[in-house]
């Protein structure tokens, strides 16, 4: 995994709200947090410098080739600091800004915001000249569908949704079920109690893919292993992706029931899952990012067996590079095990020391890539 700039201190376990704010980052400027009404002033201050415009780098950027203000990134529920989905997007945002010498702004969701709020956020980014403008999460589909029509010369990206079909939109989607299958194989090999658990943030189709892959992976090793399953909320706005306390409570219940390996697909709420598993000295499996490497989870990392990652940061980077080079990606961009943008991280030395688990996961990966195993997308 690439080294990442240190993020701000993550939210506490009991803190479930997010704040609406706009931030700009520059290596020579302090971080700024402003209200949405002041966004225009800061966006201008955060654009390209004269030295940036003359840069000729590995990304193919030359003077005058790129006319945008930089990347516009709009976070999903939980915001930056979730140590998972949003932070994965942020890693690609940071890397692209550094490599291509461009500006950028990333924006947080607000408490209980409406679809109109998301549309306003996306349109603000496009109006200020950011290109590409990327919505992190399927919740941005209606907003991007609407705004992309108004700004046909701007490239838009949306992560985890392929319903927006337009000439200037790239749908960045992943085979999450494949990485989750590997997580299931690892969990089945690691469990001593022959009892594991899955915790999903919200009961929606995309999280069903994580559950389906995990369950299939577990059963491919031993169909007699018991599997606990729990969704934290029915709707995203109820805090399923942004409430570590809900994750901790669910984890406590599954561990009490006898599970000794827990896999979560719950965003910021997953921090509570990992904390509870670590506190009870049981295995946890992370998601989206390599959670073993997350500083906010360092206290519990010895109990993070691995993570079913999807390289959201890589997708953000690819789309930005395509725009900077003048050949924007559009349409569905699908990432899987074969592309290397989905997989199972092996950062924990304790995982690598378990040769039986590593061998089983590697075999499962080869079987999926070779077409011998087809992973289901529904439980």
């Amino acid at each position: 995994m690439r080294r990442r700039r240190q993020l701000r201190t993550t939210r506490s376990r009991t803190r479930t709200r997010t704040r609406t704010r706009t931030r700009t980052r520059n290596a020579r400027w302090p971080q700024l947090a402003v209200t949405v009404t002041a966004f225009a002033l800061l966006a201008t201050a955060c654009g390209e410098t004269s030295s940036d415009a003359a840069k000729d780098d590995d990304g193919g950027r030359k003077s005058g080739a790129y006319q945008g203000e930089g990347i516009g990134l709009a976070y999903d529920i939980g915001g930056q600091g979730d140590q998972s989905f949003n932070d994965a997007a942020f890693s690609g945002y940071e890397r692209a800004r550094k490599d291509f010498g461009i500006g950028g702004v990333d924006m947080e969701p607000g408490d209980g915001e409406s679809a109109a709020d998301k549309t306003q956020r996306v349109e603000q980014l496009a109006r200020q000249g950011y290109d590409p403008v990327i919505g992190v999460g399927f919740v941005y589909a209606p907003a991007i569908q609407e705004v992309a029509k108004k700004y046909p010369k701007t490239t838009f990206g949306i992560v985890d949704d392929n319903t927006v079909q337009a000439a200037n939109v790239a749908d960045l989607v992943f085979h999450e079920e494949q990485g989750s299958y590997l997580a299931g194989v690892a969990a089945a090999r690691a469990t001593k109690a022959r009892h594991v658990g899955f915790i999903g943030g919200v009961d929606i189709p995309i999280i069903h893919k994580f559950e389906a892959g995990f369950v299939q992976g577990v059963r491919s090793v031993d169909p007699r292993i018991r599997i606990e399953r729990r969704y934290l909320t029915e709707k995203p706005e109820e805090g399923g992706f942004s409430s570590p306390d809900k994750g901790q409570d669910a984890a406590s219940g599954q561990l009490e029931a006898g599970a000794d390996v827990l896999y979560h697909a719950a965003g910021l709420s997953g921090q509570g899952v990992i904390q509870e598993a670590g506190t009870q000295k049981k295995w946890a499996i992370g998601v989206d990012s390599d959670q073993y490497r997350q500083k906010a989870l360092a206290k519990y990392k010895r109990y993070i067996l691995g993570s079913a990652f999807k390289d959201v940061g890589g997708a953000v980077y690819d789309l930005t590079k395509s725009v900077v080079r003048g050949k924007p990606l559009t349409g569905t961009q699908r990432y899987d095990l074969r592309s290397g943008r989905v997989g199972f991280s092996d950062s924990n030395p304790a995982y690598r020391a378990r040769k039986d688990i590593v061998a089983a996961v590697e075999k499962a990966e080869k079987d999926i890539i070779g077409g011998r195993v087809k992973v289901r997308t529904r439980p």
Side-chain angles (χ1 to χ4, degrees):
M1 294 287 289
R2 296 178 296 273
R3 291 188 63 191
R4 298 177 49 188
R5 178 178 168 187
Q6 184 176 3
L7 304 180
R8 65 180 184 275
T9 302
T10 190
R11 299 164 178 78
S12 66
R13 181 175 64 82
T14 58
R15 183 181 177 190
T16 61
R17 67 181 182 87
T18 55
R19 297 172 293 172
T20 302
R21 65 177 178 276
T22 304
R23 293 189 307 280
T24 61
R25 295 180 175 83
N26 186 289
R28 296 171 297 171
W29 287 45
Q31 290 190 359
L32 301 175
V34 298
T35 62
V36 170
T37 56
F39 172 82
L41 293 176
L42 286 179
T44 300
C46 184
E48 297 177 327
T49 65
S50 58
S51 60
D52 288 336
K55 187 172 182 180
D56 181 357
D57 54 37
D58 292 339
R61 183 184 175 205
K62 293 181 173 63
S63 179
Y66 174 72
Q67 302 299 319
E69 291 294 326
I71 315 169
L73 193 68
Y75 291 120
D76 196 3
I77 295 168
Q80 195 209 331
D82 66 353
Q83 311 296 317
S84 185
F85 182 59
N86 289 294
D87 281 0
F90 176 72
S91 70
Y93 164 90
E94 272 204 316
R95 181 186 169 210
R97 288 191 60 195
K98 179 180 178 181
D99 285 1
F100 308 130
I102 59 177
V105 63
D106 56 334
M107 300 182 69
E108 298 279 358
D111 291 332
E113 67 180 21
S114 66
D117 294 324
K118 292 181 176 63
T119 300
Q120 181 183 31
R121 181 177 303 120
V122 170
E123 186 161 5
Q124 231 175 358
L125 292 169
R127 185 171 62 248
Q128 292 298 323
Y130 289 94
D131 190 9
V133 173
I134 303 172
V136 185
F138 66 90
V139 293
Y140 281 98
I144 288 179
Q145 179 80 62
E146 179 178 339
V147 179
K149 295 176 183 178
K150 299 180 181 179
Y151 296 87
K153 294 183 179 181
T154 299
T155 298
F156 294 82
I158 181 167
V159 181
D160 283 353
D161 182 271
N162 64 349
T163 64
V164 182
Q165 302 296 316
N168 59 331
V169 176
D171 299 315
L172 310 174
V173 293
F174 298 80
H175 282 286
E176 297 92 349
E177 72 279 2
Q178 294 180 351
S180 295
Y181 183 98
L182 302 184
V185 170
R189 290 287 183 176
T191 181
K192 295 179 180 179
R194 295 172 68 185
H195 192 167
V196 301
F198 170 79
I199 296 173
V202 181
D203 192 358
I204 51 178
I206 191 167
I207 305 302
H208 297 166
K209 292 173 67 180
F210 289 90
E211 178 192 353
F214 179 72
V215 170
Q216 187 179 347
V218 170
R219 289 178 173 165
S220 74
V221 175
D222 185 350
R224 295 169 296 180
I225 291 176
R226 182 177 173 183
I227 306 173
E228 301 286 336
R229 303 183 227 189
R230 168 83 180 272
Y231 285 90
L232 301 181
T233 64
E234 293 185 1
K235 300 177 181 179
E237 56 268 28
E238 294 171 341
F241 291 133
S242 58
S243 306
D245 57 326
K246 294 182 186 294
Q248 185 172 18
D249 289 345
S252 178
Q254 292 192 350
L255 293 171
E256 186 175 347
D260 61 354
V261 184
L262 303 183
Y263 172 48
H264 84 87
L268 181 63
S269 300
Q271 290 190 27
V273 175
I274 291 172
Q275 178 180 340
E276 186 65 20
T279 299
Q280 297 197 33
K281 299 182 179 181
K282 304 297 183 182
W283 286 120
I285 296 178
V287 78
D288 291 341
S289 298
D290 182 356
Q291 298 203 283
Y292 177 84
R293 295 184 178 277
Q294 297 291 347
K295 292 184 178 181
L297 298 170
K299 182 178 179 180
Y300 311 102
K301 70 178 186 178
R302 63 180 296 188
Y303 299 105
I304 301 175
L305 183 65
S307 299
F309 70 84
K310 60 181 187 182
D311 192 5
V312 175
V316 168
Y317 184 91
D318 285 351
L319 180 58
T320 305
K321 180 171 70 173
S322 74
V323 174
V324 170
R325 286 183 168 179
K327 297 181 179 180
L329 294 171
T330 59
T332 300
Q333 308 295 315
R334 192 174 294 277
Y335 303 98
D336 58 9
L337 278 176
R338 184 183 296 275
S339 70
R341 291 290 169 80
V342 172
F344 190 77
S345 64
D346 62 353
S347 299
N348 191 340
Y351 169 79
R352 296 196 300 270
R354 289 289 303 270
K355 302 301 183 184
D356 58 325
I357 301 178
V358 173
V361 170
E362 289 179 348
K363 182 180 183 301
E365 183 173 359
K366 291 177 181 177
D367 286 344
I368 294 171
I369 292 175
R372 292 180 291 277
V373 170
K374 183 174 176 58
V375 186
R376 294 187 290 271
T377 58
R378 295 182 181 180

